[in-house]
Every structure is written in structure tokens, then in C-alpha cells.
């Protein structure tokens, strides 16, 4: 009897997770929003980001500042990110991205597992990728679900949901500004 109850609970949880994933917004929903987000135009030159990391309970765990430089040759771009956390830890990520004519984008970086894929519509850019995240002396494979909302032509807000086994375990919020 106990196993049947556990099975029922597991089925209910799986159905709930499926329904939540089906109700997630699609980037095309933002087609008519303004200002128009041009990924290449925004991520060109020097940028600076200020942000916070929160755990699964929404509690602040870290603050960070990111200095970025982005350059393009045609549709191929390189975005260098230098992270400095409030505890003194530093991190560097270099993105190699390709912007397609349909506003979709693919990217790769050393700590990204596989390929990041994304698309912009209206004032919003959404992309998704898996990361080998350093954690407690090891690495943890998690999914980053990034939503970027262009507020002005020189400022955007980025919300990243960090997901493990379909459950949000953390969140990063950044304000990114062109310098």
C-alpha cells in the first residue's frame, strides 16, 4: 500500500511539472514588444553587469559584477565575461556565438555543455543551455534558462533560472548596461 501511495505522489508531481513546463512563456509571445532587441547591436563593445544570486528559497547568496567585451565579424561574435563575486571569487567565460538571419542564436563556451540556443522577439531574448557549475569542490550539471528584457537601447534586465532535475534551485538577476 505504501508503494502505491508513493507511486501516486510521483505521478501527481510529474503531471504538475509537465503542466508547468507547458505553460512557460514562448519568446514569440513578445513579438510586438518594444524597444526591438537587436542582440548584435546590444552586445557590442564594452558592457557592465550588476547582479545577485538567490537560492531556491529566494534568499540572497551572492552579489556580483561582470565586465564584458563583445566584438563581431559578420554574424560571428565573441563575448568575454569577467565575473567578480562579493566573496572575492573570479570567473571568466568566453562565448562564441553565431547570429542567424531569423534572430536565432547558437553559442558555446568552455563551461557550457553542448550548444546554447536562443532567439529574440520584440524586446526579449531567450536562451537555454546546460552548464557544469562548480559546487562544493566538484561540478554539478544544471540548466540555465535565460530571459533578457531590453528596457532601453543601452540597458537590459536578465533573469536566469537555474534548474536541476526540472526544479529551480537558484536564480541570477543581472542589470546589464552598455558603457
Amino acid at each position: 500500500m505504501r508503494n502505491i501511495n508513493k507511486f501516486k505522489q510521483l505521478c501527481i508531481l510529474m503531471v504538475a511539472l509537465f503542466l508547468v513546463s507547458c505553460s512557460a512563456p514562448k519568446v514569440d509571445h513578445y513579438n510586438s514588444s518594444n524597444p526591438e532587441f537587436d542582440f548584435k547591436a546590444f552586445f557590442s563593445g564594452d558592457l557592465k553587469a550588476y547582479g545577485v544570486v538567490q537560492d531556491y528559497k529566494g534568499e540572497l547568496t551572492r552579489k556580483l559584477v561582470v565586465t564584458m567585451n563583445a566584438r563581431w565579424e559578420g554574424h560571428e561574435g565573441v563575448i568575454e565575461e569577467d565575473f567578480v563575486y562579493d566573496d572575492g571569487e573570479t570567473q571568466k567565460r568566453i562565448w562564441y556565438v553565431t547570429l542567424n538571419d531569423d534572430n536565432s542564436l547558437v553559442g558555446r563556451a568552455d563551461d557550457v555543455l553542448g550548444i546554447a540556443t536562443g532567439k529574440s522577439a520584440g524586446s526579449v531574448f531567450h536562451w537555454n543551455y546546460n552548464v557544469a557549475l562548480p559546487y562544493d569542490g566538484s561540478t554539478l550539471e544544471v540548466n540555465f534558462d535565460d530571459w533578457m528584457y531590453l528596457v532601453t537601447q543601452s540597458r537590459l534586465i536578465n533573469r536566469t533560472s537555474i534548474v536541476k532535475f526540472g526544479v529551480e534551485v537558484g536564480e541570477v538577476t543581472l542589470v546589464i548596461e552598455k558603457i
Side-chain angles (χ1 to χ4, degrees):
M1 187 69 162
R2 186 177 273 171
N3 286 339
I4 292 174
N5 284 337
K6 286 184 180 180
F7 179 73
K8 285 181 183 177
Q9 290 173 343
L10 179 62
C11 286
I12 290 169
L13 178 63
M14 290 176 65
V15 168
L17 288 173
F18 175 75
L19 291 174
V20 167
S21 69
C22 289
S23 65
K26 305 288 186 236
V27 74
D28 291 336
H29 172 77
Y30 300 99
N31 275 334
S32 61
S33 62
N34 288 307
E36 186 73 22
F37 185 40
D38 179 337
F39 190 94
K40 186 176 175 181
F42 187 85
F43 285 99
S44 290
D46 293 324
L47 302 110
K48 193 132 191 185
Y50 306 88
V52 294
V53 179
Q54 295 169 275
D55 66 13
Y56 68 97
K57 297 178 283 186
E59 294 183 11
L60 178 69
T61 60
R62 299 176 99 178
K63 298 175 190 171
L64 67 146
V65 175
V66 187
T67 303
M68 297 180 225
N69 179 270
R71 58 193 180 280
W72 293 86
E73 204 169 296
H75 289 298
E76 304 293 320
V78 177
I79 304 169
E80 295 185 42
E81 301 175 317
D82 291 298
F83 298 79
V84 178
Y85 295 91
D86 59 347
D87 61 4
E89 181 184 347
T90 61
Q91 177 186 8
K92 184 170 191 81
R93 178 178 292 134
I94 302 174
W95 283 102
Y96 299 93
V97 296
T98 301
L99 186 58
N100 301 310
D101 291 333
D102 65 352
N103 289 330
S104 68
L105 183 133
V106 293
R108 60 183 169 75
D110 285 343
D111 60 343
V112 172
L113 305 170
I115 301 293
T117 58
K119 185 177 180 189
S120 53
S123 63
V124 177
F125 178 77
H126 174 238
W127 73 339
N128 200 289
Y129 49 97
N130 292 324
V131 173
L133 191 66
Y135 180 76
D136 202 23
S138 184
T139 57
L140 186 64
E141 184 177 332
V142 294
N143 176 262
F144 277 29
D145 189 30
D146 273 13
W147 286 89
M148 298 180 193
Y149 305 96
L150 190 65
V151 179
T152 68
Q153 292 300 336
S154 62
R155 187 171 292 125
L156 69 77
I157 296 173
N158 183 112
R159 180 191 182 276
T160 303
S161 179
I162 304 170
V163 177
K164 180 72 177 167
F165 300 124
V167 177
E168 185 174 298
V169 296
E171 180 178 314
V172 179
T173 305
L174 295 171
V175 174
I176 304 174
E177 299 176 321
K178 293 181 70 62
I179 297 176

